[in-house]
Amino acid sequence: MKNRNAYIVKDSKTYLYAEEAKFKLADEADLNILFVVIPRVTNNRLKERMEELISPEEWDKVCWFLTLSNGTDFLEMKHRKMNELTRNFKKVREYFYHFIDNVRMKRRARQYRPCKFAVSTHKNTHENLAALLQPEELVLVDSGHRVFRRISKKSGFIDYSERVINRSRLDRILFRLSGFKVFNRKKTSLFTIYGDEIETRHRIIRNEFDRQKHKLKSKKTGDLVFWISTPIYQMASGVVIDDYIEYIRASIELRQIGPGQLVYVPHPGKQTDEEIQLISERLSCKVDQRDIPVEMKVASYEDLPRMC
């Protein structure tokens, strides 16, 4: 019987890391099963964007799991003003959704367990599914430097209980009632680009983007130039978008970048469609506005850009 490996993703970044983990950890004969676990209700076309991103032929099976929990309404709750009764009602409802998701995950996991390893993010629903798949090893992928704060100084392992203890009594009770599982931390590894910075007892697997490097080796260098945006007009006082556009124009003239060679890559979340359109028109450049990591954008072109 072939070994099964599970990869649990929630967005384009974690999908990129899952691809890298598969390239580095899976054997050629393994069955590789992708689980896309995302909220049923979002306000950012997440399901459509993931469908555009995922290559089904890269996986032996692609399983979609749309959760009731972690929807837009709950995630935006901390940014809204509301009375305590309404806030507590939303918390209770959210943990009820967690309970239902847990029951559904148990049914789904029975079809695919046990696994040789499961690759997952740090989100509670994703780790719960990973534990239910009964892997020999859990491999957690990066969620940025936030992972540093989740490592207990006492145990040396990632420990969520310290965060839960600091919450209200209601939060602690609801968290226990949700029934979410946490996999054995001694059998949990970290697949990370921060291997030199983390102090932990977890086994460190270095993410060196081997898959991207492998893909790029076979490509030749073309004429395109990528301008990866840093919208300083959004970050510094006294700077407007006109200044930013002129800065880009002066740079491309200095480097003798010809018409049609420039590809502008907007900053996700910091630029509006109107601003991106203005930059495109003023500079007569192409725009790559796909909602995927920059590394995947570069690798997806037929030729490598001659400059970024």
Side-chain angles (χ1 to χ4, degrees):
M1 182 178 177
K2 292 184 177 181
N3 288 320
R4 284 181 292 216
N5 308 318
Y7 306 80
I8 304 167
V9 302
K10 63 176 183 176
D11 53 26
S12 58
K13 181 179 179 182
T14 52
Y15 180 72
L16 169 63
Y17 289 163
E19 286 187 323
E20 291 293 337
K22 173 171 167 280
F23 186 85
K24 187 158 191 166
L25 303 176
D27 294 327
E28 188 173 348
D30 289 353
L31 288 173
N32 297 292
I33 305 165
L34 179 70
F35 291 87
V36 187
V37 182
I38 57 176
R40 187 184 301 273
V41 179
T42 66
N43 59 2
N44 57 2
R45 293 184 59 253
L46 180 57
K47 186 174 186 295
E48 290 85 351
R49 286 168 21 226
M50 293 300 291
E51 288 173 335
E52 294 168 1
L53 172 64
I54 292 168
S55 302
E57 65 275 8
E58 296 283 335
W59 307 93
D60 295 294
K61 178 77 173 178
V62 178
C63 300
W64 290 84
F65 193 97
L66 304 181
T67 65
L68 296 172
S69 58
N70 298 308
T72 300
D73 183 59
F74 180 75
L75 296 179
E76 292 181 350
M77 185 176 71
K78 62 183 178 181
H79 303 297
R80 298 176 180 172
K81 291 183 178 180
M82 61 183 68
N83 62 56
E84 198 62 24
L85 182 61
T86 302
R87 187 175 297 275
N88 286 336
F89 167 77
K90 288 180 179 289
K91 285 182 180 180
V92 172
R93 184 183 63 182
E94 181 68 10
Y95 279 99
F96 176 70
Y97 287 161
H98 279 312
F99 179 81
I100 295 175
D101 288 338
N102 190 23
V103 172
R104 294 169 58 222
M105 283 182 175
K106 286 178 179 178
R107 293 173 182 166
R108 182 66 66 90
R110 292 192 193 106
Q111 304 173 47
Y112 302 103
R113 68 189 186 197
C115 295
K116 183 172 72 172
F117 63 78
V119 175
S120 175
T121 66
H122 293 271
K123 208 170 191 69
N124 51 13
T125 45
H126 298 71
E127 277 205 63
N128 178 64
L129 176 58
L132 292 171
L133 289 166
Q134 299 176 354
E136 296 174 16
E137 178 184 21
L138 171 61
V139 180
L140 291 177
V141 300
D142 280 327
S143 59
H145 275 75
R146 288 178 297 173
V147 68
F148 293 6
R149 300 195 300 269
R150 293 172 176 167
I151 296 175
S152 169
K153 293 180 180 178
K154 182 179 179 180
S155 69
F157 294 118
I158 292 175
D159 187 353
Y160 299 126
S161 64
E162 295 179 354
R163 298 170 61 207
V164 175
I165 287 171
N166 293 328
R167 297 178 182 174
S168 69
R169 178 178 296 179
L170 176 63
D171 284 317
R172 295 197 296 272
I173 294 172
L174 292 173
F175 183 79
R176 292 189 180 96
L177 290 176
S178 67
F180 277 176
K181 292 182 177 295
V182 175
F183 191 72
N184 186 341
R185 286 304 184 222
K186 293 182 179 179
K187 296 181 180 180
T188 300
S189 303
L190 301 182
F191 185 61
T192 177
I193 60 177
Y194 303 112
D196 295 329
E197 303 175 51
I198 296 179
E199 293 184 10
T200 179
R201 291 175 60 195
H202 290 289
R203 180 169 82 97
I204 297 294
I205 305 172
R206 296 180 184 276
N207 181 4
E208 298 173 311
F209 293 100
D210 296 322
R211 182 178 183 275
Q212 294 296 323
K213 292 176 183 176
H214 177 75
K215 289 178 65 176
L216 297 179
K217 280 181 181 177
S218 62
K219 294 178 181 285
K220 62 181 181 179
T221 302
D223 294 326
L224 292 179
V225 174
F226 276 34
W227 186 283
I228 301 171
S229 172
T230 303
I232 53 177
Y233 62 91
Q234 294 277 19
M235 306 173 183
S237 60
V239 181
V240 297
I241 191 170
D242 292 330
D243 301 326
Y244 179 62
I245 293 173
E246 290 308 310
Y247 167 68
I248 298 176
R249 190 193 308 280
S251 298
I252 61 178
E253 289 176 356
L254 180 65
R255 291 166 175 77
Q256 298 181 335
I257 299 169
Q261 293 182 328
L262 183 67
V263 178
Y264 184 79
V265 181
H267 190 292
K270 289 191 178 293
Q271 293 183 278
T272 65
D273 291 339
E274 291 76 14
E275 291 170 343
I276 295 167
Q277 181 68 25
L278 178 62
I279 291 169
S280 173
E281 292 174 354
R282 295 270 288 272
L283 296 175
S284 301
C285 65
K286 303 170 186 175
V287 174
D288 191 334
Q289 207 167 347
R290 290 175 294 167
D291 186 30
I292 59 177
V294 172
E295 299 91 343
M296 295 183 76
K297 290 184 180 181
V298 173
S300 68
Y301 281 76
E302 183 176 350
D303 297 330
L304 294 175
R306 66 182 174 90
M307 186 186 309
C308 284

